[in-house]
Amino acid sequence: MEPTAGPGQLLAISDLHISYPENRRLVEELRGGEEDWLIVAGDIAETVEDIRWTLATLAGRFRKVLWAPGNHDLWTHPKDTVTLRGVARYEHLVEVCRELGVVTPEDLYPVWHGAGGPAVVAPLFLGYDYSFLPAGCTTKAEGLAYAESTGIVCNDEYLLHPDPYPTREAWCRDRVARTEERLAGLPADLPTVLANHYPLDRHPTEVLWHPEFAMWCGTTLTADWHRRFRVATMVYGHLHIPRTTWHDGVRFTEVSVGYPREWRKRPAAPGKPRRILPMEDETGDRGAAPGVGRGRGGAP
């Protein structure tokens, strides 16, 4: 489909982690054009108050804001006065977004008609199911035991509760099934921009310093979605390795800000959203971009 002319840009950012004062200042300084849309692909903060402040701030500066939850957003953290767990916490955050006019994974997916469009923009909430197992491991139990032996244990194991689902993987599989049905019903003549906190395919995790951390980074159930659902760009965060890769001819763009100790090492100015549409002129890569650390530690 030929790109259509139109005002504005479709932008994306994630992993703002505003509990760090330096990152909060980045949000305070973040501005958009009158017609720009902004995707926020998860990990805003650990408390509802901080998430609300961030989304309210951004909703006042962009034409439209779309939110996909990250694992930190869904933690039941001892610092948060909101003690809801699992689905109840997610649904509470959805209501916060609706009060602010922010699009969530539970809302109708809007169509971007600006430059590079039209395209359906779908914020997703899928989770992970431990299927990105370490080499040589065949079960979740084996994978977790191996990860623990290397000193890598994600804080989700203590703070991200799946209630009322029995496990995080059960919650993930239900979310995948529901979302798959919605995406299958989209108009077949429109490309899509799918925004999820985790990548839809495992390949972006190949550069992690600790490859066992991939278990907390997605699900194999979505490995063909970039082909099935006419994806123009797959937007994700979580890895704190901002870059673009191309997989089966499809653009995967990681848009995270990350922690101050990470972004201080990069040559680019921090806190700048990536342009998703119209598409940036870039070649993509399979490794970390220059100046970017290769991967995450064990307790993000």
Side-chain angles (χ1 to χ4, degrees), residues 76-93:
T76 303
H77 198 281
K79 293 182 179 179
D80 197 355
T81 58
V82 178
T83 58
L84 296 170
R85 293 163 57 114
V87 173
R89 181 175 178 85
Y90 171 62
E91 291 177 344
H92 179 67
L93 290 171

Side-chain angles (χ1 to χ4, degrees), residues 56-73:
T57 298
L58 297 175
R61 298 174 180 173
F62 291 85
R63 173 68 67 180
K64 191 182 295 291
V65 173
L66 306 93
W67 170 75
N71 54 315
H72 282 240
D73 304 325

Side-chain angles (χ1 to χ4, degrees), residues 28-68:
E28 291 171 343
E29 296 167 1
L30 182 56
R31 297 289 190 279
E34 289 184 0
E35 300 299 326
D36 291 347
W37 290 15
L38 180 68
I39 297 166
V40 183
D43 277 9
I44 294 172
E46 293 75 30
T47 70
V48 172
E49 179 181 3
D50 279 347
I51 294 169
R52 179 189 291 275
W53 174 84
T54 301
L55 291 175
T57 298
L58 297 175
R61 298 174 180 173
F62 291 85
R63 173 68 67 180
K64 191 182 295 291
V65 173
L66 306 93
W67 170 75

